[in-house]
Every structure is written in C-alpha cells, then in structure tokens.
Amino acid sequence: MKQVSTTASRLPLIGIPRGMPYHRFGDLWKAFFKALDIQYVESEPTTLRTLEEGTAVALDETCLAMKLYLGHVMNLAGKCEFILVPGIKSFGRNREYCPHFEGLYDLVRNSCRDSRQKLITYQVDEPNGMSEADAFLELGKALGFGGREVKKAYQTAKREEQQRWQKRVLLENAKVRESGLKVFLAGHSYVLEDPYVGKPIRNFLEANGVTVLSGPVTDREQAMKNSGVLSPGCKWEINRELLGNLALKKKNIDGLILISTFPCGSDSMVNELLTRQIDSMPVLNLVLDSQSGMAGIETRLESFVDIIRFKRGLM
Amino acid sequence: MEKAFLGIDIGSISTKGVILDENNGILASEYIWTEGDPIQAVKKLLGLLEAGFDKSRYTIVGTGTTGSARKLIGTMVGATVVKNEITAHAVGTTTFYPDVRTILEIGGQDSKIILVENGVANDYAMNTLCAAGTGAFLSSQAKRLGIEVEEIGDYALSAKHPVSIAARCTVFAESDLVHKIQTGHAKEDIIAGVCNAVVANYLNNVGKGKRIASPVVFQGGVSKNKGVVAAFEKALHCPVTVDANGHLMGAIGVAILARGSKERREFDFSVENTDFHVRDASCGRCSNNCEIICVYRGDELIDSWGNRCERGSIRTKA
C-alpha cells in the first residue's frame, strides 16, 4: 500500500477504494489531498479476494463492478479514519451517472455497516446547485480547512488532473496511426482498467499482436460534441463519451469489442447504439460476471482476432 | 508414404476426429461422447481412428486440435495447431461449400453464427458466456420429458400444434415448459415448441442484427436434430443445408489448418496407451489463488496453465 508522507499529524488518514469512481476521479482526489497535505491510503489492487469480500456484503443482484467496489471498501476498513465514498449524480444535462454512482455513499454505508468504518463524502449534483467545486469545498470544510485554502487546493488538483489526462489522451490518440490490427474496447474505465477484470482481456489481445484502443480515453469535450448523432437523448456521460469517441475513431479500427459487467443497465442500452454506429465490422459482445475461468473469454477473443485477420487477408 | 493430417474437435458433449489426405479426402472419422472426460474420450477416439486407417500407406505429419478442450488435448497429442472452433468451422465449411454465405452452428455449450463473403469469413457472433439455447438445454429438456436426445427430431416433426415456449432464457424456458407439461399438452407439441424456442433464442441473440443470406449451412451437434432444422427453415424462409459430415466440420477445419501450417511433427498413436492425467494446483502466491492446471505424462509435468500472472507459472523440465 502506498502512503503519502506528511508532517501534519492533526489530520485524519483517508482511505481511497480503487473501484468504480476511482478510475475517473482518483487523480483528482489524490491531487486534492496532496495539496492539503492530507495522508491517504489506497486499497490493494483487485484480486479474487476483493470480489469475495465484496460479494459477501453486497446485495446479490448488484453488478460485478459494485461488488468489487465494496470489496475495496472492505479492504480499507479498519485501516484508516475515513474512507472517501463520493456520490456523483450529474454534471449537467446529458452528463448524468448511473444510480450506483449517485447512491454510492448510502449503498456503502448500509452494506458495510457491520465494519463500523467511518465514511466521508462529497455529492455532485450540478442541476440542483451542487457543482464539483462546491462539493469539494464542503468536503474540505468537513476536514477542518478554511474555504480559501480548499478552493486553492481544488484548483491546483483540477489543473493537475487535466494535465495528466491530456498526456494520456495524446498517447492514446497516437495509437490510431499505428499499423497493424486495431481494436476499439468499449466499456467503463472501472471495468477495462481493473487488474482482475479488464486487464487480462487487454493483455490477451496485445499478446496476439493487436493494438488496443481504450474507449474511455479520449478528449472528453470533443467526444461529447460527436456523441449526439445517434442518440441526442442519451443521458449518461460516460456512455456518451464512448459513443463520441467511437464516432471519431471508427474509420481507423478493424473491430469493436463491447465489455460490460452483468447486469449493467446503461451498457445494455448504449451497447446497441454503439453497434449501430458501425457497419461491416466484426463486433464482439462480452458480458462479464464472476467467472474465474478465462477459457470461454479466450475462445471468443481468439476467434475475433482470427476473423479480423481473415477480413484483412492476413490469414 | 503419403501425407495425412489429423484433426480432433473436443467439445463439452462430443469428441470428433478425422484424418484427411492431401486432397481433403476423409480417410477415417469418428464421433463419440466426451462424457465429462476429454482425455479418456480422445484415447478412445484415437483407438477407433487407428483401427480404420491404413498406417502402411499414410503418415500423419500434422495434428490440429479445436473445441473447448483444445489446449489440454493439444498438449496431450503434441498438436502442431491449436485453434478455436469458430476459425476451424469457418475454414472447414468454406472448403466444402465455397459459395456459403451463412454458417449456423449450435454445439453443446456454445452457439455461433459466421457470415461469409466471397469465401472469406467476414463477421461472426457467439453467445455471451451463458449457455442458453444450446445443446445442453435440449438434452436437459429431453431428460425432463423422458426421451432420448436423438428422438427429439422425430417427435418434433410429428407435432401438429407446436406450443409456444418462452425463448429468452433457459431458466424461464424450463419453467414455461413445466407449466405446459402440467396443463396436458401433447409431448410432440411441447418438443416442437422446444425446437422453435432454440431457433427463436438463437436468432434473437447470436443472430441479432446479422443479415442471414442463403446458402445457409447448419452444423454442430444440434444440426443432427431434424426438429431444429425444420424450425430454422420455417423461420428463415430458405433451405438449410446440413452436411452429412457437418458434425465433423470443426475437426476437418483444424486438420486443414494443420496442413496449411508450416509446422510438421509425426503423430504417434501410442499416446492412446500412455498415462495422462491432470492435477489442480492452487497458486497461493497472492489472494487471486489462481487454479493452475498441471498436465502430466506419467509422472512428468508436460504443461500447465490457468495462472493470471508470472508468479504462478510452473516450469516444466523440458
């Protein structure tokens, strides 16, 4: 576990679960805490145990990603004073989040009640007057800082987050120009980037000589502008970015792989929109749950790569 | 000596093997049940193939394995090619039916559709990791109705008023079926309903959004079921071809791939008398606790897999 060293001892140690919102907002949180000199500790990378611990406390109908998130919370329970569990509802029109993001704090509080772990939160709901900046202001105040100090820390953190993101997008967009087979992976970053769930899929493709374009890594503003062609009404921000990014890159790819965790509500609707954007290109739809064997997935990935090779006359 | 190529397709339900000459002529072929033990099934298969094959005239110089146990059996027989069943079926079918446009395939666990344009596989889909609407469903329903899987076809064709059965999910379909049994519908009508449900499930899942063009070739174990073939013809409004060797197409395809590959290794039938076994090991080096499969020839570890990372790799002595 990584720990940020600091001299301030009056401040609590904050736990950061490496699940769901972490893969989108984690850089911002860490930069924010660093700017305020607050120590934080991250949960261990996902393993089978994360899933088991999460499944033990989760409602059985909930999605795989939520079970993993709860597993990460349980991994931190007792190891820090507060665990940061945000609630993210909306950044504005067509920039909404799934109910699990919105109700994350309540879900965790109820599911992990027996651990007696204290949580800390911030709640973003822009259409109802709570912007991210305002929410962070409240978070900072709750931790005992003055308004001015918090605002400055948020601005610094936001800048750092954006710089990191731009660098990643530059690297990602350069892949479009690579020769050889290119496959677009559409899915939530918390699925694709998870070391237990999405990484093995990515590794398998790369080991088979395929360049993997990561759906969520894109210039978000540009992707949002391109997202409305097929569905002006799609309200989920993450899914809209995928729609827009695919619209931008579809001419440069050989195949599309949709990866979602069972039972994801927004994906079940948007995957259909994604497939309608492209014609005459192989599409593979993978729905992941807690299967521990890779054989079924490998068969599907291997045959998918073969079909692309057939199409390109490489086999 | 003339060259020959062996292809083995080890599915969850059945194990298929063919030996091809250099002109795709079938020198020997066998089809047996896997019965939950792929290693034993392949030993038995090889014994049967050996008996019907002229060893004084042909040497097997390339061996391919496909199907869900392709890796395990590939290790066991020393395969020169190990390929997934989609590719094997596409290669096999387009060799015998160069003008085919659509390949429907329903096996024991998987179902897939392959679209072909100008003899080249162009698009495909496979069921998600759920086994609804596959051979496994048909055999469990046959058991429930007290008949053999092989009898389903004749029952279905004699039905006058097929009942409608929920097709979305095997679990729903099964409870719908139980209700239909209990309300007194004729057995053949229910069986025909099950066949229609398999087709409806297939077309609404794997076949969704795919342009199914004629000629259509249907294969996989379920293609031997006349009831499902008839249901497909009715739903697609076109003839559906079932090759007499359709059940062997995966094995044929992988034998052709073995011929096309540069690798050559003489196949030795003595593997059928060699002791192979598999042991499960738990890695335990991190909390993933990967289940590692170790394959032994006698006491010698010849291969292992199942580890998610390098820490779990087990080195073989070779």
Side-chain angles (χ1 to χ4, degrees):
Chain A
M1 265 189 247
K2 201 166 71 181
Q3 216 155 301
V4 172
S5 65
T6 164
T7 45
S9 57
R10 68 185 168 98
L11 293 167
L13 177 65
I14 306 280
I16 299 181
R18 291 206 228 195
M20 291 175 72
Y22 174 84
H23 296 278
R24 190 174 176 95
F25 304 104
D27 283 345
L28 177 66
W29 303 335
K30 287 187 265 179
F32 178 71
F33 291 139
K34 222 165 65 193
L36 290 174
D37 234 353
I38 296 174
Q39 279 194 325
Y40 62 81
V41 50
E42 295 175 73
S43 58
E44 289 163 42
T46 315
T47 62
L48 179 61
R49 192 167 66 202
T50 320
L51 178 60
E52 286 169 352
E53 288 183 351
T55 308
V57 294
L59 291 169
D60 52 359
E61 294 282 311
T62 198
C63 74
L64 180 70
M66 187 65 210
K67 286 178 180 165
L68 291 174
Y69 184 79
L70 290 168
H72 282 286
V73 171
M74 293 310 285
N75 181 248
L76 288 166
K79 294 176 188 157
C80 52
E81 265 131 305
F82 297 104
I83 296 178
L84 176 70
V85 181
I88 292 156
K89 184 174 184 215
S90 173
F91 284 88
R93 189 172 170 267
N94 286 341
R95 294 185 62 192
E96 290 179 32
Y97 281 74
C98 94
H100 281 131
F101 273 77
E102 183 185 341
L104 200 58
Y105 175 75
D106 289 324
L107 283 165
V108 170
R109 205 182 47 170
N110 285 299
S111 301
C112 306
R113 185 182 295 164
D114 291 344
S115 71
R116 295 168 175 277
Q117 171 66 46
K118 280 188 255 175
L119 309 178
I120 191 163
T121 190
Y122 70 93
Q123 304 271 333
V124 179
D125 185 2
E126 260 191 58
N128 290 307
M130 185 55 85
S131 67
E132 189 182 66
D134 293 337
F136 268 77
L137 183 60
E138 289 200 357
L139 172 68
K141 282 180 178 168
L143 288 165
F145 291 88
R148 218 197 219 157
E149 217 176 343
V150 179
K151 273 185 197 163
K152 208 178 132 207
Y154 173 74
Q155 278 159 6
T156 311
K158 202 71 198 166
R159 224 174 11 249
E160 202 181 308
E161 180 206 27
Q162 273 160 5
Q163 280 164 359
R164 271 170 172 268
W165 184 249
Q166 277 157 9
K167 263 186 215 154
R168 258 189 92 179
V169 171
L170 271 179
L171 284 174
E172 183 70 26
N173 288 348
K175 286 192 202 162
V176 170
R177 289 188 294 276
E178 270 175 40
S179 58
L181 299 181
K182 288 184 284 287
V183 166
F184 188 97
L185 281 195
H188 291 275
S189 56
Y190 52 81
V191 178
L192 302 187
E193 286 163 23
D194 187 276
Y196 183 74
V197 182
K199 268 279 159 63
I201 292 175
R202 205 194 175 91
N203 293 345
F204 183 89
L205 288 169
E206 284 172 349
N208 279 275
V210 173
T211 301
V212 177
L213 301 184
S214 182
V217 185
T218 179
D219 181 331
R220 288 172 178 160
E221 268 176 48
Q222 205 188 355
M224 280 302 255
K225 269 185 214 146
N226 279 277
S227 67
V229 189
L230 257 152
S231 173
C234 173
K235 63 178 190 174
W236 298 290
E237 177 164 46
I238 296 178
N239 294 97
R240 274 199 98 87
E241 287 170 5
L242 285 174
L243 284 167
N245 192 23
L246 182 63
L248 288 168
K249 289 179 183 157
K250 64 180 175 185
K251 291 216 163 54
N252 300 305
I253 57 173
D254 301 284
L256 167 67
I257 301 183
L258 308 161
I259 301 179
S260 47
T261 52
F262 185 79
C264 179
S266 57
D267 283 0
S268 70
M269 300 176 80
V270 180
N271 282 351
E272 178 68 27
L273 292 171
L274 285 163
T275 39
R276 283 192 198 177
Q277 281 200 45
I278 53 165
D279 41 43
S280 73
M281 189 188 293
V283 178
L284 176 66
N285 187 4
L286 282 179
V287 182
L288 305 175
D289 198 17
S290 49
Q291 303 100 337
S292 62
M294 271 294 283
I297 295 173
E298 283 180 5
T299 297
R300 283 157 180 79
L301 293 173
E302 188 192 298
S303 51
F304 183 75
V305 175
D306 280 351
I307 292 283
I308 301 178
R309 291 221 166 94
F310 273 128
K311 254 194 107 157
R312 291 259 304 238
L314 299 169
M315 248 176 100
Chain B
M1 288 291 260
E2 290 176 54
K3 285 178 185 154
F5 301 88
L6 169 64
I8 309 173
D9 178 357
I10 321 93
S12 56
I13 306 284
S14 61
T15 296
K16 289 78 73 175
V18 291
I19 303 175
L20 294 188
D21 64 19
E22 287 197 280
N23 304 310
N24 299 331
I26 297 177
L27 301 172
S29 74
E30 287 297 335
Y31 179 101
I32 59 173
W33 299 122
T34 308
E35 291 173 328
D37 188 347
I39 292 181
Q40 274 314 316
V42 167
K43 283 186 180 180
K44 194 172 147 197
L45 180 90
L46 290 173
L48 292 167
L49 285 172
E50 189 181 13
F53 167 67
D54 186 358
K55 276 202 283 188
S56 59
R57 197 172 147 200
Y58 294 96
T59 333
I60 296 172
V61 294
T63 307
T65 56
T66 185
S68 43
R70 60 184 179 278
K71 206 165 171 181
L72 175 62
I73 303 305
T75 301
M76 175 179 150
V77 301
T80 49
V81 166
V82 177
K83 252 306 162 204
N84 65 81
E85 47 276 29
I86 296 251
T87 309
H89 272 106
V91 168
T93 314
T94 49
T95 306
F96 289 94
Y97 296 90
D99 56 348
V100 66
R101 295 291 308 277
T102 311
I103 304 169
L104 315 172
E105 213 251 287
I106 306 183
Q109 283 276 340
D110 294 328
S111 54
K112 45 220 111 144
I113 184 167
I114 308 170
L115 304 184
V116 182
E117 225 169 85
N118 305 321
V120 175
N122 187 43
D123 192 7
Y124 86 112
M126 194 165 179
N127 58 332
T128 60
L129 294 171
C130 153
T134 60
F137 171 65
L138 278 173
S139 55
S140 72
Q141 297 321 314
K143 204 174 281 165
R144 179 179 286 285
L145 292 161
I147 61 168
E148 295 295 318
V149 192
E150 293 86 348
E151 297 175 317
I152 292 182
D154 288 323
Y155 269 106
L157 292 184
S158 68
K160 292 202 176 60
H161 307 286
V163 299
S164 123
I165 289 183
R168 176 189 293 276
C169 159
T170 303
V171 182
F172 289 159
E174 190 159 324
S175 49
D176 205 17
L177 185 120
V178 171
H179 294 152
K180 294 277 150 73
I181 295 174
Q182 299 304 75
T183 46
H185 288 276
K187 202 178 246 185
E188 58 269 21
D189 289 342
I190 294 176
I191 293 168
V194 169
C195 294
N196 288 340
V198 166
V199 168
N201 182 297
Y202 180 92
L203 294 175
N204 288 325
N205 287 298
V206 250
K208 192 163 154 210
K210 301 272 180 255
R211 239 201 346 264
I212 298 181
S214 179
V216 177
V217 174
F218 177 28
Q219 49 203 214
V222 176
S223 70
K224 297 282 152 193
N225 182 324
K226 286 177 280 182
V228 177
V229 177
F232 262 123
E233 290 188 327
K234 217 170 96 196
L236 297 173
H237 308 290
C238 72
V240 169
T241 308
V242 179
D243 190 286
N245 290 321
H247 57 294
L248 299 173
M249 219 39 107
I252 291 173
V254 84
I256 294 171
L257 284 167
R259 193 184 60 212
S261 128
K262 286 189 196 77
E263 219 180 315
R264 290 284 176 263
R265 195 179 308 132
E266 199 172 314
F267 176 76
D268 185 353
F269 275 102
S270 71
V271 293
E272 60 192 81
N273 302 316
T274 315
D275 169 46
F276 286 94
H277 58 272
V278 171
R279 252 181 247 154
D280 255 344
S282 211
C283 168
R285 286 183 179 80
C286 80
S287 47
N288 272 336
N289 259 332
C290 290
E291 294 156 12
I292 302 170
I293 302 292
C294 302
V295 186
Y296 292 86
R297 186 196 297 124
D299 293 328
E300 181 200 356
L301 176 69
I302 53 172
D303 203 354
S304 73
W305 55 79
N307 45 308
R308 280 175 178 259
C309 72
E310 286 306 307
R311 276 178 292 184
S313 66
I314 297 172
R315 264 166 218 107
T316 53
K317 276 174 197 157

